[in-house]
Amino acid sequence: MDDDPQLPTAAEYRERSEGARAEARARHCARITLLLSERGVEEAAEAAELAVDALTEWRNVDSGERCRCSCHPRLPDSDHHDYGFDCVCTRTREQRRESFQLALNEIRDYWQSPEGQEAKTASESAEADLQAWLTQHPRVVVHSHGGWAPEQWHGEIDGHSFYFRERAEDWDIEIDLHPTGHSINVTDGRHDDGTTRYRQQELERGEVIATGTVYADGYGITVVQRAQFIVATIRDHLHRRACTHHLDKLGTISAALGTAVVWCPDCGTRLQVR
């Protein structure tokens, strides 16, 4: 199956995010420079850059990679809301209403355009590919999937419910979901004045069995590739959890190999540290 041309590769996604962060940094530095200059601060531009870096540049001491933990302030990695300078929090109710109607008109015009029709056809084709793949794997059920930030999947694999979520290039998978007794507000459309409407949704949680990034082997870029990745990850976990590691045969296997068995020959679980 051909890759979906609408979806960026991991390298393209990372390049796009880095470009957005660089633009956001420049914009925020310029704003802080102006504020500092108005207050008579000397070398305001240098002070602004130091302030932005001190707040937003947090890196792992071992890898040097940028930390993505939400406890740190961070720069936008997209141009959403014009990098924060045109957020809805800065608009009056009338401005929000007008902006909401403008957005509806733009969405309508896009889906009626040749580009929109092409995207719709590609999406329908990808969904058809997923449904065709699912018919060949009856023990895999997908209740819902989609989204960009975050991308989320709900379903069942071999009788185990699962939830997959990816945002900002990091993903995790939970299985065997169960109610927590708590609920949260989730978006449920818009009111006539353009403000967000919410509804209560009961929280479910499961065991987090795997975490990683979009650069993991086999992650893929199409919906079928993503489904295959999720299924393989969950089944590998279930197989390792149920494996007895052939403990009664390890002596024989070690003798045949001429060395101690460190890894289970069936599921690959580490059995001992060298």
Side-chain angles (χ1 to χ4, degrees):
M1 180 179 61
D2 294 334
D3 291 344
D4 188 339
Q6 302 298 318
L7 296 176
T9 64
E12 290 171 339
Y13 182 80
R14 172 173 283 182
E15 181 180 1
R16 180 184 303 174
S17 298
E18 290 295 336
R21 278 191 284 267
E23 175 66 18
R25 183 182 183 279
R27 294 278 298 277
H28 283 279
C29 283
R31 179 174 183 270
I32 296 174
T33 298
L34 177 61
L35 293 174
L36 294 176
S37 297
E38 290 174 346
R39 287 160 175 79
V41 176
E42 297 182 2
E43 299 182 350
E46 180 179 351
E49 292 190 3
L50 288 173
V52 170
D53 287 344
L55 286 171
T56 64
E57 286 294 322
W58 296 83
R59 295 183 178 272
N60 186 290
V61 296
D62 294 320
S63 67
E65 292 292 325
R66 180 181 292 107
C67 181
R68 299 184 179 280
C69 181
S70 61
C71 64
H72 303 308
R74 66 172 66 181
L75 291 168
D77 57 4
S78 76
D79 61 358
H80 184 56
H81 290 170
D82 191 27
Y83 304 100
F85 288 90
D86 191 27
C87 179
V88 293
C89 69
T90 66
R91 303 176 188 173
T92 65
R93 176 171 294 186
E94 182 60 31
Q95 288 173 327
R96 290 197 298 270
R97 183 184 297 114
E98 293 176 357
S99 177
F100 179 58
Q101 187 58 53
L102 178 62
L104 290 179
N105 294 340
E106 290 177 346
I107 292 173
R108 180 201 61 202
D109 293 343
Y110 171 75
W111 288 116
Q112 292 177 352
S113 70
E115 294 82 6
Q117 291 297 311
E118 182 179 352
K120 181 180 179 181
T121 299
S123 177
E124 291 174 346
S125 176
E127 183 63 24
D129 290 339
L130 175 62
Q131 294 304 318
W133 183 84
L134 289 171
T135 60
Q136 301 173 12
H137 299 81
R139 294 182 62 80
V140 178
V141 178
V142 174
H143 298 311
S144 64
H145 73 93
W148 181 251
E151 177 184 341
Q152 301 178 87
W153 291 63
H154 290 85
E156 299 176 21
I157 295 175
D158 300 336
H160 296 267
S161 58
F162 77 86
Y163 171 59
F164 168 92
R165 185 180 191 275
E166 181 273 318
R167 185 180 179 88
E169 303 181 1
D170 295 319
W171 57 262
D172 57 57
I173 299 177
E174 300 177 30
I175 66 169
D176 298 328
L177 307 179
H178 56 275
T180 63
H182 302 284
S183 61
I184 58 171
N185 281 333
V186 296
T187 55
D188 189 31
R190 296 271 184 174
H191 295 291
D192 292 340
D193 64 358
T195 58
T196 304
R197 183 173 64 244
Y198 296 93
R199 61 179 172 83
Q200 289 288 307
Q201 177 173 298
E202 185 177 28
L203 279 175
E204 291 188 328
R205 288 288 184 265
E207 175 191 3
V208 178
I209 63 159
T211 61
T213 72
V214 297
Y215 309 107
D217 291 341
Y219 189 78
I221 59 173
T222 69
V223 290
V224 171
Q225 290 169 345
R226 189 81 75 257
Q228 292 171 332
F229 176 79
I230 294 170
V231 171
T233 302
I234 293 176
R235 283 180 168 165
D236 285 349
H237 167 79
L238 294 174
H239 182 57
R240 287 193 296 268
R241 189 170 69 179
C243 184
T244 62
H245 309 312
H246 307 283
L247 297 178
D248 59 330
K249 300 178 181 178
L250 292 186
T252 302
I253 297 174
S254 297
L257 295 176
T259 185
V261 174
V262 179
W263 307 90
C264 173
D266 185 14
C267 70
T269 296
R270 180 188 288 273
L271 302 177
Q272 56 179 301
V273 179
R274 289 185 181 273

